[in-house]
Amino acid sequence: MHIDKFTPKSDMMMLLGFAAAVLLMPLWLQPFGAAYPDLMQRFAIFGLFAIGFNILFGQTGYLSFGHAAFIGVGSYTTVWIFKLFTLNILPAMVAGVVVSGIFALIIGFICLRRTGIYFSILTLALAQMSYNLAYSVLTPITMGETGLQVEAADPRAWDAPLAEGAVPRTNLFGIEMTDFGGLAGFYICAAFLIVGFYVALRITRSPFGSMLRGLKTNQNRMSYTGLNTRPYALAAFVISGMYAGLAGSLMAAMDPLAGAERMQWTASGEVVLMTILGGVGTLVGPFLGAVAIKYFENIFSAIDGAVLTSALDFLPDFLVSGLVPVLSLFVGKGWHLTLGLIFMLVVIFLPGGIMEGYRRIKARFSKQGEE
């Protein structure tokens, strides 16, 4: 069995390598056609969401199907701060993280009375209840299906009034998210991603992280020793929920509106796929899984029959006419089929996700070097 050896130096190198890869995205994503700010912001935001989810799922072993609820809570709280107080994203995001943490504490206290599939079903049920509350019951707060939006006429107590017809723009102490062609927004998301990765790294290497992995390995045995395991599981749930709330706050900061669709169960299932695809229990894996899925969603979904025909124009016409209808099933509206096939291959041949593939390649090259 392969066992990784971690030292403070190796952790620092991992952190620096991760930070460099994130900050240099506008350069190395160019050949892949993904170096535009909106997509890179999604990579950072959903990467942060997946890293936080991995603290609960990968470290502690609790599979939640309702984490998108915390994204919604973070988004709604952030937009309300934009409407009532200031367009500065920092206080709005702090409020979003705090409220999401309180909400996660309540949900976790209820759901962690059960384990295994019963815990998962409870999180799914409560998340769907939250979605329906936001969509139809709490419409004075959430604005229902139209969504909560920032308007120029909002009574912001800490900001100067905007001119009539002006477009409210979120900012960080004067730096607007759209500055420098949108790169300002990306680098703010990247900074939060790097900080979130560092916090996850410190949690993993701490005695608290060891306790979480002990819960995943054999919670019953730990309970037989007289240890009360619930506070540790609840702490992991709250931390993970705060990560999700931070991701939701970033979504609202980049695009100042909040809608109930962010709380649907499909969004919760998506982060599960990201974590499994990248590598459950690893530090970098969930981020890689998030990048892979969002890349397929935004790049492959934009490919249609005309693009395929243009790409295959070097082939004879009879081959093009035969290949385009078949390949069209896997791109455009059918991009989920491609994602499903890739996910199936990863689960069958690389159960540890992308990170297992990396370790296998690294081990093979190490053996060749020894020979």
Side-chain angles (χ1 to χ4, degrees):
M1 183 177 64
H2 176 79
I3 300 177
D4 289 318
K5 295 181 180 180
F6 300 106
T7 64
K9 183 178 179 180
S10 67
D11 284 346
M12 181 56 67
M13 293 301 296
M14 182 194 303
L15 176 63
L16 292 176
F18 180 83
V22 171
L23 296 175
L24 294 176
M25 272 186 180
L27 296 179
W28 65 265
L29 284 178
Q30 286 284 354
F32 302 97
Y36 52 94
D38 182 64
L39 181 54
M40 291 190 295
Q41 288 171 15
R42 288 180 171 271
F43 289 163
I45 292 170
F46 283 93
L48 185 65
F49 183 24
I51 288 171
F53 180 78
N54 185 61
I55 294 174
L56 179 67
F57 179 38
Q59 299 287 334
T60 318
Y62 281 87
L63 176 57
S64 169
F65 285 126
H67 254 50
F70 307 121
I71 280 191
V73 170
S75 293
Y76 281 120
T77 302
T78 300
V79 174
W80 270 114
I81 297 298
F82 290 154
K83 292 173 73 67
L84 298 177
F85 296 101
T86 178
L87 288 171
N88 190 324
I89 68 169
L90 192 58
M93 292 177 63
V94 170
V97 171
V98 171
V99 174
S100 297
I102 295 171
F103 188 61
L105 180 63
I106 297 170
I107 298 297
F109 182 79
I110 297 170
C111 295
L112 287 169
R113 294 175 179 273
R114 294 291 180 266
T115 59
I117 188 62
Y118 303 104
F119 167 81
S120 301
I121 295 301
L122 274 174
T123 57
L124 176 61
L126 288 171
Q128 282 301 102
M129 288 172 59
S130 301
Y131 165 73
N132 284 295
L133 284 171
Y135 190 79
S136 59
V137 179
L138 300 177
T139 50
I141 299 174
T142 63
M143 301 304 164
E145 61 181 338
T146 60
L148 185 66
Q149 301 182 32
V150 178
E151 300 175 354
D154 290 331
R156 276 173 283 276
W158 301 343
D159 288 356
L162 294 177
E164 185 177 353
V167 178
R169 298 186 186 279
T170 55
N171 65 84
L172 180 62
F173 301 111
I175 301 175
E176 295 184 358
M177 301 301 101
T178 55
D179 285 350
F180 309 107
L183 285 177
F186 161 69
Y187 278 111
I188 288 171
C189 292
F192 280 102
L193 171 63
I194 294 168
V195 172
F197 179 81
Y198 174 74
V199 172
L201 175 63
R202 299 311 306 157
I203 290 174
T204 302
R205 302 291 187 255
S206 69
F208 174 70
S210 299
M211 188 66 72
L212 296 184
R213 290 189 293 277
L215 294 180
K216 180 179 181 180
T217 302
N218 198 322
Q219 185 171 348
N220 289 333
R221 183 175 295 177
M222 295 182 71
S223 298
Y224 291 153
T225 65
L227 179 69
N228 184 5
T229 60
R230 184 176 293 180
Y232 293 96
L234 182 58
F237 192 93
V238 171
I239 292 170
S240 185
M242 293 173 74
Y243 267 83
L246 178 58
S249 293
L250 280 171
M251 288 182 189
M254 298 304 114
D255 185 12
L257 59 85
E261 69 279 354
R262 291 178 180 173
M263 306 174 76
Q264 284 186 309
W265 67 269
T266 52
S268 297
E270 190 176 53
V271 74
V272 177
L273 294 181
M274 291 173 181
T275 308
I276 295 175
L277 183 63
V280 177
T282 64
L283 285 164
V284 181
F287 170 72
L288 296 178
V291 170
I293 288 180
K294 287 303 166 183
Y295 180 80
F296 281 113
E297 178 182 332
N298 287 271
I299 302 300
F300 275 53
S301 63
I303 300 175
D304 56 15
V307 174
L308 288 174
T309 301
S310 176
L312 298 175
D313 61 358
F314 63 93
L315 295 174
D317 291 342
F318 73 93
L319 282 178
V320 173
S321 60
L323 285 174
V324 168
V326 175
L327 295 177
S328 295
L329 299 174
F330 297 87
V331 295
K333 294 181 179 179
W335 75 271
H336 285 95
L337 183 57
T338 302
L339 178 61
L341 290 173
I342 292 174
F343 186 75
M344 182 178 67
L345 292 173
V346 168
V347 170
I348 293 173
F349 297 105
L350 293 173
I354 296 172
M355 290 305 295
E356 181 178 340
Y358 165 75
R359 284 193 293 266
R360 288 185 184 181
I361 294 172
K362 182 179 177 181
R364 176 163 296 186
F365 277 103
S366 297
K367 289 181 180 179
Q368 289 179 354
E370 292 174 0
E371 293 175 356

